[in-house]
Amino acid sequence: MPWTSEEMSDQTGRTVLVTGANSGLGLETTRAFLQKGATVIMGCRSISRAQSAIDGFLKKIDKGNISLLEIDLGDLTKVASAAENIMDKYGHLDLLINNAGVMAPPYTLSKQGFEIQFAVNHLGHMALTIKLLPILERKVGARIVTVSSGAQFMGQIDWEDMQGKKRYDRWRAYSQSKLANVMFALELDDRLKTNKSMVSSLVAHPGLARTNLQLRSIKANNSWQEGLAYKFIQPLFQGARMGSLPQLFAATDPSAKGGQQYGPRFNFRGYPKLCNSAASALKKDQRKRFWELSEELIGMSFK
Ligand SMILES: NC(=O)c1ccc[n+]([C@@H]2O[C@H](COP(=O)([O-])OP(=O)(O)OC[C@H]3O[C@@H](n4cnc5c(N)ncnc54)[C@H](OP(=O)(O)O)[C@@H]3O)[C@@H](O)[C@H]2O)c1
């Protein structure tokens, strides 16, 4: 029996933070949680884009509660102040969905001078998660779901040139950031278990889903070749609603456990199932090294 968001249990009384909630998978995730009665904090870098999503896509939903949080994951100072706003306002959190992402843009630096995909997809989410752990710890069964990609399997950590300063290949950098998501999430789960925490960390990947991610990449690179390539592979893509199922499953299903990854049944598409993580994310020594290096970059630590 295929799993859909209808199978999610009632989420009334639960508080969920979704990053990148105004578009694509984040917006579908928001919709699903609202329909099950949750309070969803929409973490978005543009409040006006979040408001448009509320006035449009989310307009007909009369369940749950929405709260807006301005957060730019490409600026660690803004990540810290966004996390503080949440801690002050809520004091607890049941679920954190590290979903926001950027794919294959031209070489760009974040506010603190990191390559933008590494900064937004990995460092910003790592900093947000570490900051919010104390309020996740207050809820029994709290979960953190980090959204990766099939690109994790092509990803390599470039220890010599992680920020692409010597040579920038936008797809390599995307794959590196998505492998980083998995290494981060698995290492976090190990550390939480060592600390006997009740919080767990899981990974999800959507396969191929029609969202704004591809359009933005084509536009930012002004690449007609890429536009054409996407047209050819369109039949492989599923809708954003299907693409959001692995992260919803990882966040809510009682069978999903810390350290696991969920993705579509047929890798690119299909209903969610337990799946493997990239082999390089399973190497504990590499993960530890990567964690410690990331801690240095964000200026925060969690043992
Ligand atoms: N769609 C796919 O086929 C696919 C495949 C594999 C993995 N993924 C992953 O799925 C996740 C969601 O992507 P999507 O497909 O839903 O793409 P999307 O429709 O482009 O949504 C991306 C979201 O991330 C937000 N975002 C980007 N940069 C940000 C920043 N600096 N600070 C805060 N938010 C930022 C965007 O906000 P703005 O609207 O303000 O730009 C948007 O809300 C990403 O992590 C992506 O890597 C997607």
Side-chain angles (χ1 to χ4, degrees), residues 225-242:
Q225 295 94 330
E226 218 162 284
L228 196 65
Y230 275 122
K231 282 211 173 92
F232 277 116
I233 59 168
Q234 265 305 312
L236 289 177
F237 278 66
Q238 51 188 0
R241 189 163 296 189
M242 278 295 287

Side-chain angles (χ1 to χ4, degrees), residues 2-13:
W3 190 91
T4 68
S5 58
E6 292 306 308
E7 319 296 320
M8 282 165 62
S9 57
D10 182 38
Q11 301 288 313
T12 307

Side-chain angles (χ1 to χ4, degrees), residues 19-27 43-46 49 71-75 98-103 116 119-121 125 146-151 174 177-178 181 204-216 237-238 240 243 247 268:
T19 65
N22 61 293
S23 176
L25 308 179
L27 185 53
C44 302
R45 70 172 149 172
S46 154
R49 280 197 286 275
I71 180 165
D72 182 349
L73 288 146
D75 183 343
N98 288 328
N99 163 83
V102 56
M103 181 176 78
I116 198 72
V120 171
N121 299 356
H125 281 122
T146 300
V147 180
S148 180
S149 158
Y174 180 67
S177 75
K178 291 286 130 182
N181 285 151
H205 85 85
L208 293 175
R210 238 169 281 114
T211 64
N212 285 318
L213 199 70
Q214 303 83 18
L215 301 175
R216 277 168 209 229
F237 278 66
Q238 51 188 0
Q247 61 207 59
F268 294 139

